[in-house]
Every structure is written in structure tokens, then in C-alpha cells.
């Protein structure tokens, strides 16, 4: 399972409502995918945090705690993470301190092998090529891994290679945050690709993508059979050099796109198959929330008799109202109601008061039978009708 750019919000720019809504959705999506798809390994391709590049020690600890809660996983599932520019800073922002605290949490492992498949995890932020101390250490480590991998793939076997554990003799899969060099997303397509008006915008080397020199260096060193990257928040599939495929994995956060997705990969030492899994679109989720909320409001108002619904049930509730003295009330023209009150006409007097109750659709119920009687200030009838509203649970 491969995902990228979760961008957990920090203490400075993160709004509490944004955290509550989008991070809850992200947690539920990840936990559901773990339960349903049962991956053996989960890779996150950088930018786990949004403010790791400048967060204080306490804010960093809080963010790490939220990450571990959201992306908790069973012991048999391995979680592997590569650094992104928001985790340790862009090249000129990163420091030995930010790199070290990231590696203290997520490990400094650069080579990972499982079931005959080799994975190389690249700190692409350090592939600036300017000889900085962090860059020099990162490149030296990658060069050693490259020599080890290439030696294991030689037909003559590992006898001439470095001593130690022999690696599977298969071409590796590169995992990194920055994509390899490409001019733009002009050749990218699909529902989770960049919007059409953004695809032709030229990329900036060392900011949007790796430089051409750094990209060629990685392709030459490792001769990978597949490259997986993130950073752009949009999907893309490109071929490099002699046909090396690269898949840019879209952001896993609703904050960065309306339709997040992730990759499920089935890998062997010689072959691979990739499938894309989409999360629900955020506007669909919001429409569902508001629809359910509106339905609950309607049902509540109906139960509180605040709302008259256009579905008569046939029953009436009779209530008395004030009427002017000496005037006979008019019968309410409720011709369309089938009242279930088995009364014809009841006219009579009680002292100085007379009460009249008339029911429609009864031949003997005639208004003139009650004319001439004196009615008090409280009299006659008001018909209320109630309907029903089905509720789908």
C-alpha cells in the first residue's frame, strides 16, 4: 500500500475544525483500507506533516502522537516512510537537527528487502547536488547501496562483492518524495491528474521536481524497474530514459484535493501490478452530511408539531378558539378531509352558552341548525392534520 502527502496540520497554520474534519476522514479511510485490503507493507512518500520544517519540539511531539494514532497498524504490518520537504524543510531550510529528529521517529533505513523485492528509499530533498554536508552524506549512502545492489545482480554471484548478507538479485523500486525530472504534467491524464489549466505550467527543478542531473544519477546508479514519488499532489505516469516507469501518487488528504487516492501494489522479484484506490470525494461527503442533517431537522420539527407536512392522515385535533359574541361561526371549508368522527350535529345550550360541533360529509350537518345561538368568547373548532415522513436508516 503506497500513499503520499498526508500533510497533518500543525500548531501554527492548522485550524482545529480542519483537523477535526479532514484528519478524522483520513484516519477512517486508512483504517478501513488496512482492514479491507490487508497490506503487508505501507509506504508513505513524504510530507507526513505540514509544519515539520519549523515546528517546535513540543509541536513536533504532538504531531507525531497524532500520526501514530491515525496511522496505527497491526504488528505484522510494516510502515516505511521517506522524508519530504514539509517534514525536514526545503534544501536551504533543512538542518541536521530536523533530519535527525525525523529519522529518530521513522528510521534512517535506506534499503529494504522483502520477499525478493528490493526497495530503495531516497531522501530526495538532499539530492540538490551542491555538495552540502547533508547532501554529501545522503549521496554517499545511496552510492554504497547502489554498488551492493548491482553486485548482487551480477551473474558471477556475490563472491567479488562486499561481505555480508546477499541481496535478492532483482532490480530495485525507488521510493522518494520529489518526482524525477519532467518538464510539466502536460502528458498526465486521469481523474486524479492535475487540473487541465495547471498541467502545462512548467516545473521548477529542485522545487517541483528533482534536477535533470540528479534524476539521471539515480537512474544510472540503481537501474530501477519502477519509481514511486509524491509531492505534486496529483497523479501522473511517465517513462524515463530507456523506459523506466514512474508513478506519481496523489495526496491522501482532502485538504490537497477533492478526490484523494492511494496505490495498492502486488510485487514479485520480476514483475509488479498496480491498482489505484479512490477515497470518497469530499464534496460528496459534505453533501451527505448536510442531507442527513436536514432530514433530521425536518423529522424533529414534525415531531414537535412545528411543521405541517402535506400528507394528511385523516385524523383531526379539535381546539377551541375565540369568537365574537353573538355571531354564529362559519363552518370551515375542509371539503377534502375525511374526518373520522362519528358525529352528525350536536346543538344545544348550557346556560347562556351553546356549543356546536359539525362534521363534514354528513347530510344532517347543516350550519343553519346552529344559527341564532349565542356563543361565548371561546368557541368553535380548528382542524389540524398531520402527515408522515419516512426516514431511511
Amino acid at each position: 500500500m503506497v500513499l503520499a502527502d498526508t500533510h497533518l496540520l500543525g500548531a501554527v497554520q492548522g485550524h482545529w475544525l480542519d483537523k477535526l474534519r479532514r484528519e478524522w476522514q483520513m484516519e477512517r479511510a486508512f483504517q478501513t483500507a488496512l482492514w479491507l485490503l490487508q497490506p503487508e507493507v505501507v509506504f508513505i512518500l513524504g510530507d507526513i506533516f505540514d509544519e515539520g520544517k519549523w515546528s517546535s519540539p513540543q509541536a513536533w511531539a504532538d504531531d507525531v502522537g497524532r500520526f501514530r494514532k491515525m496511522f496505527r497498524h497491526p504488528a505484522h504490518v510494516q510502515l516505511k516512510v521517506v522524508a519530504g520537504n514539509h517534514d525536514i524543510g526545503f534544501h536551504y531550510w533543512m538542518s541536521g537537527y530536523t533530519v535527525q529528529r525525523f529519522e529518530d521517529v521513522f528510521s534512517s533505513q535506506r534499503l529494504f528487502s522483502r520477499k525478493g523485492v528490493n526497495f530503495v528509499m531516497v531522501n530526495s530533498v538532499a539530492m540538490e547536488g551542491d555538495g552540502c554536508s547533508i547532501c554529501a552524506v545522503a549521496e554517499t549512502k545511496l552510492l554504497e547501496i547502489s554498488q551492493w545492489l548491482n553486485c548482487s545482480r551480477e551473474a558471477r554471484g556475490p563472491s567479488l562483492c562486499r561481505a555480508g548478507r546477499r541481496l535478492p538479485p532483482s532490480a530495485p523500486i525507488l521510493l522518494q518524495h520529489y518526482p524525477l525530472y519532467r518538464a510539466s504534467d502536460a502528458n498526465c491524464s486521469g481523474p486524479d491528474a492535475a487540473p487541465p489549466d495547471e498541467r502545462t505550467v512548467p516545473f521548477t527543478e529542485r522545487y517541483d521536481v528533482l534536477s535533470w542531473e540528479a534524476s539521471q544519477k539515480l537512474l544510472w546508479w540503481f537501474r530501477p524497474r519502477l519509481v514511486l514519488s509524491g509531492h505534486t499532489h496529483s497523479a501522473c505516469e511517465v517513462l524515463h530514459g530507456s523506459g523506466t516507469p514512474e508513478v506519481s501518487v496523489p495526496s491522501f488528504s482532502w485538504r490537497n484535493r477533492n478526490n484523494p487516492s492511494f496505490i495498492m501494489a502486488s510485487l514479485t522479484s520480476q514483475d509488479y501490478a498496480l491498482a489505484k484506490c479512490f477515497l470518497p470525494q469530499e464534496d460528496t461527503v459534505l453533501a451527505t452530511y448536510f442531507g442527513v442533517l436536514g432530514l433530521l431537522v425536518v423529522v424533529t420539527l414534525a415531531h414537535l408539531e412545528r411543521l405541517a407536512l402535506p400528507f394528511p392522515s385523516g385524523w383531526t385535533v379539535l381546539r377551541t378558539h375565540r369568537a365574537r359574541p353573538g355571531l354564529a361561526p362559519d363552518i370551515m371549508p375542509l371539503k377534502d378531509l375525511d374526518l373520522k368522527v362519528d358525529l352528525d350535529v350536536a346543538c344545544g345550550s348550557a346556560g347562556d352558552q351553546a356549543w356546536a360541533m359539525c362534521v363534514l360529509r354528513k347530510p344532517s350537518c347543516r350550519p343553519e341548525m346552529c344559527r341564532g345561538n349565542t356563543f361565548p368568547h371561546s368557541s368553535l373548532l380548528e382542524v389540524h392534520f398531520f402527515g408522515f415522513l419516512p426516514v431511511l436508516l
Side-chain angles (χ1 to χ4, degrees), residues 172-288:
I173 296 174
L174 287 190
L175 304 168
Q176 57 193 54
H177 182 62
Y178 283 132
L180 298 178
Y181 174 80
R182 61 177 182 261
S184 68
D185 273 350
N187 296 323
C188 305
S189 61
D192 52 353
D197 59 334
E198 297 180 9
R199 295 179 192 175
T200 56
V201 177
F203 282 149
T204 302
E205 294 184 58
R206 301 179 177 88
Y207 186 84
D208 299 309
V209 294
L210 288 179
S211 67
W212 185 87
E213 294 81 6
S215 301
Q216 293 303 308
K217 186 181 294 185
L218 290 173
L219 292 173
W220 175 257
W221 281 354
F222 295 104
R223 292 179 290 165
R225 56 188 170 124
L226 176 65
V227 180
L228 297 172
S229 61
H231 186 60
T232 64
H233 300 172
S234 299
C236 191
E237 298 180 15
V238 294
L239 294 177
H240 297 282
S242 58
T244 302
E246 177 182 6
V247 176
S248 290
V249 182
S251 174
F252 191 67
S253 173
W254 279 270
R255 184 169 178 256
N256 297 324
R257 59 180 308 107
N258 185 49
N259 58 339
S261 60
F262 60 93
I263 298 291
M264 285 299 297
S266 178
L267 307 167
T268 67
S269 60
Q270 302 299 325
D271 201 2
Y272 65 87
L274 305 179
K276 186 171 292 183
C277 304
F278 285 90
L279 277 61
Q281 296 190 15
E282 186 179 36
D283 53 7
T284 302
V285 174
L286 292 178
T288 303

Side-chain angles (χ1 to χ4, degrees), residues 86-197:
H86 279 266
D87 300 317
I88 61 177
F90 283 97
H91 172 256
Y92 293 107
W93 291 0
M94 71 175 176
S95 65
Y97 169 73
T98 58
V99 173
Q100 187 60 50
R101 75 176 182 180
F102 183 86
E103 293 180 348
D104 288 344
V105 174
F106 297 108
S107 172
S108 60
Q109 186 181 22
R110 295 288 175 265
L111 177 64
F112 169 66
S113 297
R114 183 181 175 89
K115 293 186 176 181
V117 182
N118 297 314
F119 301 93
V120 177
M121 295 173 285
V122 180
N123 179 1
S124 54
V125 183
M127 296 298 295
E128 188 76 8
D130 63 351
C132 75
S133 58
I134 297 175
C135 302
V137 171
E139 289 196 16
T140 299
K141 180 65 175 176
L142 290 176
L143 184 57
E144 292 177 358
I145 295 173
S146 168
Q147 293 172 346
W148 191 8
L149 283 168
N150 291 330
C151 192
S152 298
R153 293 161 66 181
E154 293 293 334
R156 290 174 293 179
S159 59
L160 302 178
C161 300
R162 55 181 287 185
R165 179 174 60 91
R166 181 180 178 182
L167 295 173
S170 63
I173 296 174
L174 287 190
L175 304 168
Q176 57 193 54
H177 182 62
Y178 283 132
L180 298 178
Y181 174 80
R182 61 177 182 261
S184 68
D185 273 350
N187 296 323
C188 305
S189 61
D192 52 353
D197 59 334

